[in-house]
Amino acid sequence: MSVGGKLSFRRRVPEVDAVGLPLVVGGDDPPHLDELVPDGFDDVEIEVGPGKGAYLCAAVAARPRSFVLGIEAAAGYASYAAQQLHESGANNGLFLVDNARLFLEDRVRPGSLTRVHVYFPDPWPKRRHRGRRFFTEETPKVVHRALRDDGLLLVATDNAAYAGQVCRVVGASPLFERDRALERELIAEGPGAAFSPTNFERKYLAEGRIVRRFAFRRA
Ligand SMILES: C[S@@+](CC[C@H](N)C(=O)[O-])C[C@H]1O[C@@H](n2cnc3c(N)ncnc32)[C@H](O)[C@@H]1O
């Protein structure tokens, strides 16, 4: 993204009241990952677009030695999610209002993350909006740089066309290897391991939609 594009997104971030909540509003100069993660955690994970935060709340409960940062573009969702996290009493998670794609590009040191989670990313079906998708040709490079050597990129979507795009850009990239056995293991581990639970997952499964889940290892 161009410098102009970055600035215009970050200048538009609305103010929300974060007092007392595990919530940071990025604004036009968001903090770096290192400034947001307290010392002493074994692993750092990022969830892209956590929405109302059901997955992040389950993930921090499942992995107390990990710190999980949810980066949400919609301030209202981030505020709601932070309230849920606050009520859970967990101290190993945080929500940040920012564009996750930009944050991964310019606020994360190489090799910082053990996992990047992307669950039910907006499909932006209109051709003229495709550039807004999280998964583009550049995504493998951006996520690969941010992950540790043994890092994972975990994705779920109900949208068949978007699943095809994930397979095309990540599955075909030499920077990642899909691990189907790991997908089955993570699903069997239950809530908070990976993929589940999310608010959109619950809604789409109730509607009978097929959910596709992918675990990619950093190559
Ligand atoms: C379809 S919702 C899914 C929410 C949640 N993952 C779930 O499964 O319930 C997609 C979310 O991603 C957020 N989003 C879209 N693009 C984003 C970006 N570049 N950075 C951060 N959040 C983004 C949207 O605001 C929305 O909350």
Side-chain angles (χ1 to χ4, degrees), residues 120-121 123-125 133 157-164 204 209-212:
F120 303 91
W124 295 110
R133 286 181 169 180
T157 180
D158 64 300
N159 185 299
Y162 204 161
Y204 290 152
R209 296 199 202 182
I210 294 168
V211 171
R212 294 160 177 88

Side-chain angles (χ1 to χ4, degrees), residues 46 48 104 113-118 134 143 146-147 152-154:
I46 279 181
V48 171
L104 285 165
L113 305 173
T114 48
R115 295 182 178 194
V116 173
H117 306 266
V118 192
F134 181 76
V143 178
L147 283 172
L152 299 175
L153 169 59
L154 301 153

Side-chain angles (χ1 to χ4, degrees), residues 1-12 27-30 99 102 105-107:
M1 180 176 279
S2 68
V3 173
K6 285 185 186 191
L7 291 179
S8 65
F9 175 86
R10 286 176 165 162
R11 280 193 186 132
R12 284 198 308 268
D28 60 8
D29 186 18
N99 180 322
L102 301 185
E105 283 176 358
D106 67 11
R107 295 294 192 270

Side-chain angles (χ1 to χ4, degrees), residues 7 27 74 85 92 94 99 117 134 139 141 145 151 161 168 212:
L7 291 179
L85 181 61
N92 57 326
L94 179 69
N99 180 322
H117 306 266
F134 181 76
T139 306
K141 197 174 63 187
R145 175 191 158 282
R168 192 172 56 77
R212 294 160 177 88

Side-chain angles (χ1 to χ4, degrees), residues 41-121:
F41 287 99
D42 296 342
D43 297 318
V44 181
E45 310 178 24
I46 279 181
E47 184 183 1
V48 171
K52 291 183 177 176
Y55 174 73
L56 191 144
C57 289
V60 296
R63 289 185 296 287
R65 299 294 314 145
S66 296
F67 190 88
V68 189
L69 175 67
I71 306 176
E72 173 52 60
Y77 276 155
S79 174
Y80 176 93
Q83 185 66 43
Q84 306 305 305
L85 181 61
H86 175 64
E87 287 170 16
S88 79
N91 64 358
N92 57 326
L94 179 69
F95 291 93
L96 170 70
V97 182
D98 194 20
N99 180 322
R101 174 61 178 273
L102 301 185
F103 188 87
L104 285 165
E105 283 176 358
D106 67 11
R107 295 294 192 270
V108 177
R109 270 187 301 106
S112 299
L113 305 173
T114 48
R115 295 182 178 194
V116 173
H117 306 266
V118 192
Y119 301 142
F120 303 91

